[in-house]
Amino acid sequence: MKKKVIISIIVLLILAPSCFFAYKHFTKEEPKVPDKKPQEELPVTEDLKGKFANSKLRVDASLATQPLMNAYAKYFGDEDFLNEVKENYTNTHPGYVKLINGETDLIVVTEPSAEELALAKEKNVELEVTKVVNEGFVFYANAKNPVDNLKLENVIDIYSGKINNWDEVGGNKSRIIPYQRPINSGSQTGMLSLVMKGVPLREPTTTELVATMGGIIDAVANYDNNIDGLGYSYYYYANIMYRTPNIKFLGINGVKPTYETIENETYPLMTAYYIVTRKDASKKTLEFKEALLSNEGAKVAREAGYVPIKKK
Amino acid sequence: MSQSKRNNIIFYSILALVVILSISGTAFAIYKHKENVDKNGVTNTPKEDVKPFLTFKEVSKSDTIDIFKKYPINPIEINFTKGKVKISGLKDKEIENKVNEKLSVLTVEESEFGNNCHINTNVSNVLSISCAIETVNVNLKTGEEITIEELFNKDSDIYSFIVKSSYNSTCMWGICSPEDNDSEYDNNIENTIAENLQKIKNNDYILSVNTKNAVLTYESKEDEFSGIYLEYYDFFNDITIYDRYLDNSIYEKDITNYCEPNNCADKIYELLEKDNNGYADAGHFINDKTYVNFRINNQNNIDPDYNYISKEITELNLKDYINLLEKEILKKEKLDTEGNNYAYIYINADIYYHTANDYQVYYQINKKEYKKEDFIKYHLGFNEAKEINTKTINAVNMLIDKNKKISYLSDNPTKDIPNFETKLYEYIMQELKKAGNDFAGYDTCYFSEDENCEEKRDYHNLIKEASFAIDKVNNKLHMYEEKPGMYEPISFVSARISLDVFNDTPLNVIKKINEEEALSLFDKKGLHILYFDSVPCEPCRNLEVELDSLVKTMNINIYNTSLNSSNTFDKLYSKLDIKTIFEEKEATYGELLKNSKLSPTVVVIKDGKMVDGFIGFKEAEDITKIIEKYK
């Protein structure tokens, strides 16, 4: 009997710590990346401010880049230039057409489509396409939702109707309410081209089809005591309109959308906006383009809520 | 097998089981942990230095707006003279100068309509004045300008409020419909809101602090302005502007006037305007949960049939009448509210002469009930607050005499009228054939999708549903029915019907009538005598004596209408188409009356047509001979 007791004690003394240390070893968190020092801002001069006020430059923008172009026009031009610019906005495609036909000098838009490139070729026009700001496509949920991160394939499965409950992705036992935007809206187009990529979106219920941003805020931010909403938008809009204590942005594949991850393009759902000119653009146009790409331009873009590309 | 061996097997089996279970358990725990990390782990992300797009200064804690509380209207003088705005009445002259210096940016421009300035708020030591686009908002306690943060409270989510208000203001005119498939709107809404936020970030807006909202005005295009409306009803648990600066000690004069947040705007102007037209809009709480708004309507209506007493009543101190009537109506109608509900009671009254000594009161009550939160929002101006119940009452039988004693006409004043329903129904059917009649609004088919809606209307139901009252002065029956709808009534009938409609037997007196009634004689069967008189007209008075005797002996209807009235009688004259010779000229009676207003003129009408007549005095005997021809 005594022998058995001793054996039992020995086994326990070996087993318990072994299990404990084994657990600790295999569940050790990966070493954290040391916090980056905040990027030291180079002092930015105001040499270019107002320089293009009387330039009579003609510009255009996409709907999504209008606020950016407004900020550029106000800073590098003046109020009159800004008013002139606002009067003449069309949109992405008409902007490209005008540029190709020589009816406008510089546009800040999304990447040219195959159709637009073909049109340029047809008219023997060479386009210069230069990235100016990065843009991310973000997903957000109620701040109280225990889920912080989604794999991209989870997102696709949720929005195609394969995954329906939060506990399938590590959350509570409740149904996901995946809010959608109207067809042809900017955010919906982004959802289709950047995320779903051919996988059909599930048919939204009336509740899930939230037309406008105001509705989404109320829906996702728990104003109705419901923390199961999931929404999406471009980082620019999300950054300036959805930063409330009740809403958080979700990580995708482990990376949260922040200024830095969008700037350094580690965030997985990326797009960008471009300055597009004709190769035979005027000197003034090229100077304007340089101004937008300068440190001053980057500061203007940042103040306006965008993420300018990182200068190498 | 020996016992000892068996024991050993059991022991070592248990031991082995424990070891296996421990190892399995540990492995399972490790697996589960990894699974969770896999799903939730956010790794390799540098810590974001989140700098919000907009920042707001922290403010001290303050009480929040209480719609049940009376707040003091600032007892200051505000002068708009020599192109500038100036105030006076603060004890501390240094602060007063400071305020006036801030107000000096405003430029007052005079025109025939007054000046271009507006007092947005003058309550709770908050003063906000706008002249054209320029606005100054100050607190009279320190003389400092009021900032957005001070509208709210210490922990308020001001950012969200502004975003939400920006969206609401952009979509105010219903352009942001979920059914709208136009992507332009969707993208434009976000861009508009982005622009709004940018303006706020650049301090590129004008704040205006009003009594039920605050507005951020900014230039959206050249010389075009837009506003973000921060409605207090959207944030009533966070609005501190009414309580933040409360301090009654800063004024030279005592505070004598108060208001509640829902009516401060009106009260401020009521005090400023000297020519108060006298009818009182006495909205107030009658208890913790009920708000009553009583209004007497008939101020400027002109109706040739009735003498409105509004002028007389303002001279008699309208406010006394209102208080008395309100009390009586609330007592009679028993409008208690159930349980925890709150109620809004609107009472609209019209007052008419009933007899020379008393007035008849029509009133319509509209009672809406709400839960507390919705009541607060409604009270602060949110018209779409969710109602729980509504109730409508119409009453026409209250009388009040010149000594302010209240009595009631019979609840069923038509019960003594023989064959009332049948005769009324016939009358309605006749009237419906005429354009612009009083009964076409019954169960209006405007909102109905039923093609046969109009045919299905049952006017017997109207008679059952309507309220009635007898108007002795004008010999009329008042009839009233209403079913309220969302924006306008789905049924509305208000008619005044001559009591003659219900008479088969002739009157024994000469009946005074107006043009409309005179015209209706041409729609009736039988024999009717109509005579026109004027004042002064001695022959008319003499003729009246003769006719008076005939009306009793001949058992006929004789009607009188006065050429002194404001009626033109054109339609009537066209019916008087019998020709006659007067002063060697031939003309119809109608033409003679129109051109020369000859009185007395008597016309005989039989079965809807004029058959005979005469001008001037005649004795009873001669008149009888004329009438006998047609009897």
Side-chain angles (χ1 to χ4, degrees):
Chain A
M1 186 60 188
K2 199 174 172 185
K3 188 177 156 192
K4 284 177 186 149
V5 170
I6 292 166
I7 292 170
S8 306
I9 290 168
I10 291 167
V11 167
L12 278 169
L13 281 174
I14 296 168
L15 194 61
S18 304
C19 289
F20 179 75
F21 286 117
Y23 179 81
K24 277 287 171 199
H25 174 77
F26 287 105
T27 59
K28 198 166 61 179
E29 276 178 28
E30 287 182 32
K32 279 193 178 136
V33 169
D35 287 348
K36 268 190 186 169
K37 279 200 190 127
Q39 192 172 36
E40 273 176 39
E41 279 197 32
L42 296 161
V44 177
T45 59
E46 291 192 349
D47 296 338
L48 299 168
K49 189 170 183 181
K51 191 178 171 197
F52 297 86
N54 300 311
S55 61
K56 298 213 190 319
L57 277 170
R58 302 161 304 170
V59 298
D60 205 343
S62 303
L63 268 170
T65 53
Q66 274 182 23
L68 178 60
M69 185 57 96
N70 289 345
Y72 285 145
K74 187 172 177 182
Y75 181 86
F76 291 110
D78 58 8
E79 283 293 335
D80 287 337
F81 184 57
L82 172 62
N83 287 330
E84 183 74 31
V85 162
K86 276 179 167 181
E87 289 287 308
N88 291 310
Y89 280 137
T90 57
N91 204 341
T92 316
H93 181 69
Y96 271 107
V97 171
K98 274 165 71 181
L99 184 71
I100 291 165
N101 291 337
E103 290 157 11
T104 197
D105 301 313
L106 180 149
I107 59 177
V108 176
V109 285
T110 47
E111 232 176 342
S113 65
E115 191 194 335
E116 280 138 14
L117 289 169
L119 180 65
K121 194 171 179 187
E122 191 190 307
K123 302 257 176 167
N124 270 332
V125 170
E126 224 178 304
L127 297 175
E128 289 272 348
V129 180
T130 315
K131 205 192 277 192
V132 63
V133 298
N134 274 341
E135 178 66 288
F137 197 79
V138 310
F139 289 85
Y140 49 86
N142 190 284
K144 290 186 188 152
N145 192 321
V147 173
D148 268 335
N149 178 72
L150 290 170
K151 286 192 189 150
L152 184 55
E153 61 229 46
N154 295 156
V155 174
I156 296 170
D157 284 343
I158 289 169
Y159 275 95
S160 62
K162 275 198 190 153
I163 291 179
N164 291 297
N165 294 294
W166 280 111
D167 62 358
E168 295 176 72
V169 288
N172 296 329
K173 270 192 170 60
S174 52
R175 213 166 166 77
I176 303 175
I177 308 175
Y179 291 104
Q180 290 192 44
R181 306 297 293 276
I183 270 176
N184 294 329
S185 69
S187 305
Q188 194 73 348
T189 312
M191 182 63 175
L192 293 168
S193 62
L194 293 169
V195 180
M196 301 310 284
K197 291 190 177 164
V199 177
L201 276 164
R202 57 183 268 165
E203 199 66 38
T205 64
T206 329
T207 332
E208 290 166 8
L209 181 63
V210 183
T212 55
M213 168 236 113
I216 276 199
I217 278 193
D218 284 349
V220 174
N222 190 24
Y223 293 129
D224 287 325
N225 291 320
N226 179 348
I227 67 164
D228 300 321
L230 176 65
Y232 52 80
S233 183
Y234 283 102
Y235 178 78
Y236 165 70
Y237 294 112
N239 186 35
I240 66 172
M241 287 183 228
Y242 301 99
R243 282 215 178 272
T244 90
N246 290 329
I247 288 182
K248 68 179 174 189
F249 299 159
L250 298 175
I252 300 289
N253 292 350
V255 184
K256 269 212 169 158
T258 66
Y259 187 92
E260 283 80 16
T261 60
I262 290 178
E263 186 187 45
N264 63 29
E265 300 182 30
T266 52
Y267 181 69
L269 294 171
M270 294 295 302
T271 182
Y273 300 125
Y274 300 83
I275 299 169
V276 188
T277 54
R278 296 162 59 109
K279 195 142 189 193
D280 57 2
S282 68
K283 190 172 168 215
K284 206 78 197 173
T285 305
L286 293 173
E287 280 174 9
F288 188 61
K289 179 177 167 180
E290 280 307 306
L292 303 194
L293 292 166
S294 69
N295 281 339
E296 273 183 76
K299 185 164 181 237
V300 170
R302 199 162 51 243
E303 304 261 279
Y306 290 87
V307 183
I309 51 154
K310 210 170 178 174
K311 288 192 87 74
K312 301 249 177 340
Chain B
M1 200 189 286
S2 69
Q3 185 66 35
S4 165
K5 219 173 180 177
R6 206 181 291 129
N7 286 346
N8 283 343
I9 291 170
I10 291 167
F11 172 73
Y12 286 111
S13 304
I14 290 170
L15 202 61
L17 198 62
V18 166
V19 170
I20 292 167
L21 282 172
S22 302
I23 294 169
S24 314
T26 308
F28 183 74
I30 292 168
Y31 167 75
K32 267 288 171 204
H33 177 93
K34 276 217 179 295
E35 202 185 44
N36 275 337
V37 166
D38 208 30
K39 281 177 183 161
N40 285 330
V42 177
T43 57
N44 290 331
T45 309
K47 197 169 162 192
E48 185 178 25
D49 198 4
V50 177
K51 194 181 162 197
F53 188 70
L54 288 178
T55 50
F56 297 96
K57 284 180 272 189
E58 208 177 83
V59 289
S60 57
K61 232 176 180 319
S62 165
D63 287 340
T64 53
I65 191 172
D66 182 352
I67 62 158
F68 302 98
K69 192 165 148 181
K70 287 193 188 306
Y71 290 95
I73 296 177
N74 308 328
I76 53 169
E77 297 288 321
I78 305 173
N79 294 307
F80 302 91
T81 48
K82 295 180 190 162
K84 290 288 163 200
V85 185
K86 274 204 164 139
I87 64 146
S88 57
L90 296 181
K91 275 185 189 160
D92 189 327
K93 292 302 163 191
E94 223 174 274
I95 294 180
E96 191 173 283
N97 290 337
K98 197 173 173 183
V99 170
N100 282 327
E101 203 185 303
K102 292 207 164 22
L103 291 172
S104 66
V105 304
L106 301 173
T107 308
V108 183
E109 279 170 18
E110 298 283 349
S111 73
E112 56 183 308
F113 304 110
N115 62 45
N116 66 337
C117 298
H118 186 260
I119 300 170
N120 305 315
T121 300
N122 187 27
V123 70
S124 281
N125 299 353
V126 172
L127 177 68
S128 172
I129 301 178
S130 298
C131 296
I133 283 290
E134 199 63 62
T135 305
V136 172
N137 314 284
V138 289
N139 86 68
L140 297 172
K141 220 175 142 179
T142 65
E144 293 297 329
E145 286 206 49
I146 295 171
T147 61
I148 293 184
E149 292 90 341
E150 289 167 333
L151 296 168
F152 299 105
N153 219 337
K154 186 167 180 286
D155 298 319
S156 298
D157 184 1
I158 302 176
Y159 200 154
S160 293
F161 294 163
I162 289 181
V163 170
K164 190 169 176 169
S165 299
S166 180
Y167 160 68
N168 287 341
S169 303
T170 306
C171 296
M172 210 191 308
W173 309 108
I175 63 166
C176 307
S177 158
E179 282 85 43
D180 199 339
N181 233 346
D182 188 343
S183 64
E184 291 274 330
Y185 279 148
D186 189 56
N187 292 326
N188 268 333
I189 294 163
E190 290 196 302
N191 282 354
T192 305
I193 294 165
E195 187 180 348
N196 291 353
L197 296 175
Q198 190 71 62
K199 293 273 180 193
I200 292 171
K201 186 172 172 146
N202 299 342
N203 238 350
D204 219 351
Y205 64 89
I206 298 167
L207 169 68
S208 173
V209 177
N210 306 317
T211 56
K212 290 201 244 186
N213 62 25
V215 186
L216 309 174
T217 306
Y218 61 93
E219 201 169 0
S220 48
K221 280 185 194 173
E222 200 170 353
D223 290 333
E224 266 182 51
F225 293 88
S226 297
I228 302 171
Y229 288 76
L230 298 158
E231 299 287 349
Y232 296 168
Y233 58 67
D234 272 335
F235 323 109
F236 60 82
N237 286 322
D238 287 84
I239 298 294
T240 58
I241 195 66
Y242 274 90
D243 296 80
R244 185 171 287 284
Y245 306 108
L246 272 180
D247 181 349
N248 293 352
S249 70
I250 64 172
Y251 299 104
E252 285 172 342
K253 288 188 189 162
D254 286 335
I255 291 173
T256 50
N257 295 298
Y258 292 83
C259 61
E260 291 142 5
N262 83 313
N263 62 23
C264 285
D266 291 335
K267 286 266 163 80
I268 289 165
Y269 269 90
E270 220 174 85
L271 292 167
L272 289 176
E273 259 148 44
K274 310 294 175 199
D275 58 318
N276 185 356
N277 69 5
Y279 93 90
D281 185 4
H284 54 233
F285 281 101
I286 55 168
N287 59 43
D288 282 348
K289 298 201 175 136
T290 312
Y291 192 85
V292 171
N293 189 306
F294 188 104
R295 204 178 199 91
I296 293 185
N297 292 328
N298 49 319
Q299 289 303 296
N300 298 310
N301 294 338
I302 300 162
D303 186 324
D305 281 353
Y306 290 92
N307 296 314
Y308 281 77
I309 58 162
S310 53
K311 197 171 165 193
E312 201 170 308
I313 273 204
T314 54
E315 285 161 9
L316 288 175
N317 192 1
L318 189 66
K319 285 195 163 83
D320 287 346
Y321 273 85
I322 284 187
N323 291 338
L324 185 63
L325 286 171
E326 181 187 303
K327 231 169 150 175
E328 177 68 24
I329 290 168
L330 289 172
K331 192 171 87 182
K332 182 172 193 290
E333 298 295 351
K334 297 187 189 61
L335 295 164
D336 294 328
T337 309
E338 278 177 28
N340 291 328
N341 292 348
Y342 286 71
Y344 238 91
I345 301 178
Y346 289 102
I347 309 175
N348 288 311
D350 284 283
I351 306 179
Y352 304 114
Y353 274 126
H354 179 246
T355 65
N357 293 314
D358 52 20
Y359 311 119
Q360 185 168 9
V361 183
Y362 280 12
Y363 57 84
Q364 185 201 25
I365 298 175
N366 208 304
K367 178 173 173 241
K368 300 179 200 234
E369 282 183 35
Y370 300 89
K371 284 206 161 65
K372 184 174 183 179
E373 199 175 283
D374 293 310
F375 178 84
I376 293 173
K377 285 178 154 180
Y378 183 72
H379 205 60
L380 288 171
F382 184 50
N383 289 328
E384 289 163 45
K386 204 164 143 210
E387 295 166 19
I388 304 171
N389 287 319
T390 53
K391 189 176 174 183
T392 307
I393 297 169
N394 298 308
V396 296
N397 59 353
M398 180 191 260
L399 295 180
I400 182 165
D401 69 15
K402 284 188 168 155
N403 298 319
K404 295 191 197 132
K405 183 161 165 277
I406 291 180
S407 60
Y408 290 90
L409 297 168
S410 161
D411 272 343
N412 190 3
T414 61
K415 69 181 186 324
D416 292 330
I417 299 179
N419 300 318
F420 170 70
E421 279 190 36
T422 316
K423 287 181 189 160
L424 181 55
Y425 186 81
E426 268 172 28
Y427 175 78
I428 293 172
M429 289 299 120
Q430 284 298 320
E431 288 293 299
L432 283 170
K433 292 175 192 166
K434 299 178 190 169
N437 69 78
D438 289 330
F439 303 97
Y442 176 61
D443 280 352
T444 175
C445 291
Y446 191 73
F447 298 102
S448 171
E449 286 168 6
D450 185 349
E451 277 174 13
N452 302 319
C453 171
E454 285 193 12
E455 284 153 27
K456 286 180 182 173
R457 286 187 288 191
D458 186 350
Y459 286 87
H460 292 292
N461 278 342
L462 166 59
I463 296 172
K464 284 196 180 71
E465 287 164 355
S467 313
F468 296 98
I470 307 276
D471 171 353
K472 287 182 191 169
V473 169
N474 296 287
N475 196 41
K476 286 201 198 274
L477 175 75
H478 287 233
M479 178 177 178
Y480 188 89
E481 184 268 353
E482 183 174 340
K483 291 186 192 100
M486 191 141 85
Y487 302 110
E488 53 191 83
I490 57 173
S491 181
F492 181 76
V493 172
S494 176
R496 291 175 207 142
I497 304 162
S498 168
L499 282 165
D500 289 347
V501 164
F502 305 95
N503 283 341
D504 291 326
T505 55
L507 306 159
N508 286 339
V509 294
I510 297 171
K511 175 80 177 49
K512 277 186 176 358
I513 59 174
N514 62 20
E515 183 188 14
E516 204 186 293
E517 286 157 325
L519 273 167
S520 73
L521 295 175
F522 290 87
D523 290 330
K524 292 187 182 170
K525 282 193 154 335
L527 185 66
H528 304 280
I529 313 297
L530 171 65
Y531 89 92
F532 295 84
D533 72 350
S534 60
V535 172
C537 170
E538 209 177 309
C540 300
R541 307 284 82 82
N542 297 333
L543 179 65
E544 237 171 72
V545 172
E546 303 298 306
L547 289 172
D548 216 15
S549 66
L550 286 181
V551 85
K552 291 174 172 92
T553 57
M554 289 195 84
N555 212 18
I556 48 164
N557 296 327
I558 302 183
Y559 302 94
N560 157 243
T561 191
S562 171
L563 291 168
N564 288 103
S565 84
S566 54
N567 294 322
T568 57
F569 288 126
D570 279 345
K571 279 190 200 153
L572 185 57
Y573 293 157
S574 64
K575 300 263 186 199
L576 308 179
D577 48 5
I578 298 275
K579 284 196 176 148
T580 188
I581 294 172
F582 186 80
E583 287 179 357
E584 294 165 21
K585 282 202 190 121
E586 192 185 60
T588 65
Y589 278 86
E591 282 160 353
L592 282 172
L593 277 166
K594 185 170 179 166
N595 299 327
S596 315
K597 293 218 186 301
L598 297 171
S599 58
T601 297
V602 180
V603 302
V604 182
I605 303 165
K606 172 112 193 237
D607 292 340
K609 264 193 84 59
M610 180 182 177
V611 293
D612 211 332
F614 61 88
I615 299 169
F617 174 79
K618 270 198 192 324
E619 285 183 2
E621 205 181 304
D622 294 329
I623 301 171
T624 309
K625 284 180 188 155
I626 297 173
I627 294 174
E628 283 290 325
K629 279 195 275 180
Y630 304 100
K631 251 196 129 183

